[in-house]
């Protein structure tokens, strides 16, 4: 594929999600990373410079300090926006909503992350659930990590004709590992103040047919989220049938406590051993040997890497918005190949 025919993508915000999106875009055969924009002048942007990513200042007033810090800028966000087909906004919560005005003025396609409200774009995205509805749209919102995992797993059951209703309890990590020294919680648990927690209604913004209720509690650890689900099925089903339903999703990795993957830190260590950048777990890691079914009731648990799970969804959203790929399965397969999704099952001998 020639340089001119590839999708030109810019990333605004080079933090936890932004740097992973940038790396994922750079790994795609049909995309080119036009550049990344940020306001920082510290080690984080130096890592982007080491990768030869074109750098831009997200705001005019940050350009001079960034240049004084030694960064060779290609210009400001306005310059980057003039060189892209799609901009992926990975700026902090509520900042992106303000940037939307700029993107709309320039008639640009744009993608927001789950920290923003559904109403800002009018569309929320999970590739396996509603790829087709995003094709040729001007914008979409890739839903949050927890919502992404919820939609992935429930969609797998729905496609198998097994889902009636679902109730989930979410144990949410307190903060991102890299900034856990700045805040977070210690020696306590903090319940989300309302039931349902926001993830259930958020999942319904992707698929209004889902009968789902969630409850959440923030816990004093930083590695990943942990979900427990109780699902009423449409009929009685065997454990093997339910595992097959989950296995049909390429972005659900079935793991087992029997393999020594008995805690979220062990799963993260496996990602490091697989050579995943940033130890990324792109899949939902669902414990197959813990899953239990009683008649028409299903119980299961899984792990969510909130830094990585939305990355493949963002890549698929880029293809959908630009209309370069109308087939969800082909886009998902291309993204999976580029990011090594499928390695977990293969490495455990279950590919």
């Amino acid at each position: 594929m020639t340089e001119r025919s590839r999708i030109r993508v810019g990333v605004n915000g080079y933090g936890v999600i932004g740097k992973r999106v940038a790396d994922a875009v750079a790994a795609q055969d049909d995309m080119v990373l036009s550049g990344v924009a940020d306001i920082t002048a510290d080690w984080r942007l130096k890592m982007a410079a080491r990768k030869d990513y074109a750098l831009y200042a997200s705001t005019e007033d940050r350009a001079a300090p960034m240049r004084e810090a030694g960064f060779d800028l290609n210009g400001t966000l306005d310059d980057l926006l003039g060189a892209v087909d799609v901009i992926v906004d990975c700026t902090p919560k509520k900042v992106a909503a303000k940037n939307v005005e700029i993107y709309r003025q320039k008639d640009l396609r744009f993608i927001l992350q789950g920290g923003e409200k559904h109403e800002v774009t009018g569309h929320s995205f999970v590739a396996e659930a509603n790829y087709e509805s995003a094709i040729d749209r001007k914008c979409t919102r890739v839903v949050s990590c927890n919502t992404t995992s919820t939609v992935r797993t429930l969609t797998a059951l729905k496609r198998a004709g097994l889902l009636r209703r679902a109730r989930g309890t979410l144990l949410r990590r307190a903060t991102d590992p890299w900034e856990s020294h700045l805040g977070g919680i210690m020696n306590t648990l903090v319940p989300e103040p309302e039931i349902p927690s926001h993830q259930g209604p958020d999942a319904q913004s992707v698929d209004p047919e889902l009968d789902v209720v969630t409850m959440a509690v923030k816990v004093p650890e930083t590695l990943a989220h942990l979900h427990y689900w109780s699902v009423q099925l449409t009929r009685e089903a065997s454990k093997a049938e339910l595992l097959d339903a989950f296995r049909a999703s390429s972005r659900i990795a079935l793991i087992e406590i029997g393999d020594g993957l008995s805690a979220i830190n062990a799963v993260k260590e496996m990602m490091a051993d697989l050579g995943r950048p940033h130890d990324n777990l792109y899949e939902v890691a669902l414990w197959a040997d813990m899953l239990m079914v009683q008649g028409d009731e299903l119980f299961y648990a899984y792990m969510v890497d909130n830094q990585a799970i939305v990355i493949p969804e963002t890549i698929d959203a880029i293809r959908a918005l630009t209309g370069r790929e109308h087939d969800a399965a082909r886009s998902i397969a291309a993204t999976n190949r580029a990011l090594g999704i499928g390695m977990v099952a293969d490495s455990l001998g279950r590919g």
Side-chain angles (χ1 to χ4, degrees):
M1 184 171 290
T2 65
E3 186 81 10
R4 291 176 62 87
S5 64
R6 291 194 288 174
I7 306 169
R8 302 173 302 162
V9 183
V11 176
N12 187 14
Y14 195 74
V16 168
I17 299 298
K19 66 182 179 182
R20 289 169 169 81
V21 170
D23 290 348
V25 168
Q28 307 303 310
D29 292 336
D30 56 348
M31 300 179 192
V32 59
L33 181 66
S34 297
V36 299
D38 207 285
I39 60 172
T40 62
D42 60 15
W43 66 270
R44 289 166 290 177
L45 212 58
K46 288 180 181 179
M47 299 301 102
R50 285 176 60 88
K51 296 178 180 180
D52 292 325
Y53 292 165
L55 304 181
Y56 296 80
S58 289
T59 60
E60 294 280 352
D61 62 314
R62 289 301 300 165
M66 291 171 73
R67 288 192 172 100
E68 290 169 5
F71 290 103
D72 182 15
L73 297 183
N74 287 261
T76 63
L77 177 62
D78 190 64
D79 298 304
L80 176 60
L81 297 182
V84 301
D85 301 306
V86 181
I87 187 74
V88 181
D89 195 302
C90 301
T91 56
K93 188 175 181 179
K94 297 183 180 179
V95 174
K98 298 178 182 178
N99 292 335
V100 164
E101 298 176 15
I102 301 171
Y103 306 149
R104 291 193 191 280
Q105 288 172 4
K106 293 184 175 294
D107 197 30
L108 272 178
R109 287 181 165 82
F110 61 89
I111 297 170
L112 305 185
Q113 298 298 314
E116 306 307 319
K117 293 185 180 299
H118 170 78
E119 290 73 22
V120 178
T121 60
H123 187 271
S124 295
F125 183 90
V126 175
E128 291 179 326
N130 67 341
Y131 182 98
E132 289 80 6
S133 66
I135 293 172
D136 292 325
R137 285 186 58 89
K138 277 294 185 181
C139 58
T140 191
R141 163 184 168 265
V142 173
V143 294
S144 73
C145 50
N146 285 312
T147 304
T148 296
S149 71
T150 299
V151 175
R152 278 189 197 170
T153 53
L154 298 186
T155 296
L157 295 173
K158 181 180 177 181
R159 286 183 171 178
L162 291 168
L163 177 66
R164 184 178 300 278
R165 63 177 63 92
R167 306 294 182 255
T169 299
L170 288 57
L171 306 179
R172 301 179 57 206
R173 77 185 201 181
T175 189
D176 292 325
W178 83 272
E179 59 181 1
S180 57
H181 63 294
L182 300 177
I185 61 173
M186 290 293 292
N187 198 35
T188 190
L189 300 175
V190 182
E192 194 156 317
E194 294 181 355
I195 299 176
S197 61
H198 71 272
Q199 293 85 8
D202 202 26
Q204 291 167 331
S205 73
V206 178
D207 183 353
E209 293 182 355
L210 294 179
D211 185 344
V212 55
V213 177
T214 53
M215 300 175 287
V217 56
K218 188 182 293 185
V219 298
E221 58 87 20
T222 65
L223 288 177
H225 307 306
L226 183 63
H227 286 210
Y228 278 85
W229 284 88
S230 171
V231 172
Q232 183 176 12
L233 305 171
T234 55
R235 57 177 172 79
E236 292 189 5
S238 68
K239 180 173 181 176
E241 184 179 4
L242 289 160
L243 289 175
D244 283 343
F246 286 128
R247 196 177 285 115
S249 167
S250 63
R251 291 180 180 172
I252 298 174
L254 298 182
I255 61 173
E256 294 194 3
I257 293 173
D259 283 324
L261 298 172
S262 56
I264 58 178
N265 58 299
V267 180
K268 286 292 281 185
E269 185 71 6
M270 182 183 176
M271 296 306 105
D273 287 347
L274 287 174
R276 289 272 182 91
H278 309 293
D279 305 342
N280 287 337
L281 171 64
Y282 302 113
E283 304 92 335
V284 173
L286 190 151
W287 278 280
D289 48 355
M290 186 192 302
L291 181 147
M292 184 180 74
V293 59
Q294 292 183 334
D296 66 349
E297 288 186 285
L298 167 65
F299 306 91
Y300 60 94
Y302 60 75
M303 168 184 168
V304 182
D305 184 345
N306 83 307
Q307 300 182 121
I309 190 173
V310 300
I311 305 307
E313 309 304 319
T314 302
I315 297 301
D316 291 324
I318 291 169
R319 291 197 185 94
L321 291 191
T322 58
R324 296 294 183 93
E325 178 55 75
H326 283 218
D327 187 288
R330 283 201 294 263
S331 178
I332 290 168
T335 302
N336 290 354
R337 283 194 302 272
L339 298 183
I341 294 174
M343 293 170 59
V344 177
D346 292 342
S347 299
L348 294 173
R350 300 190 186 94

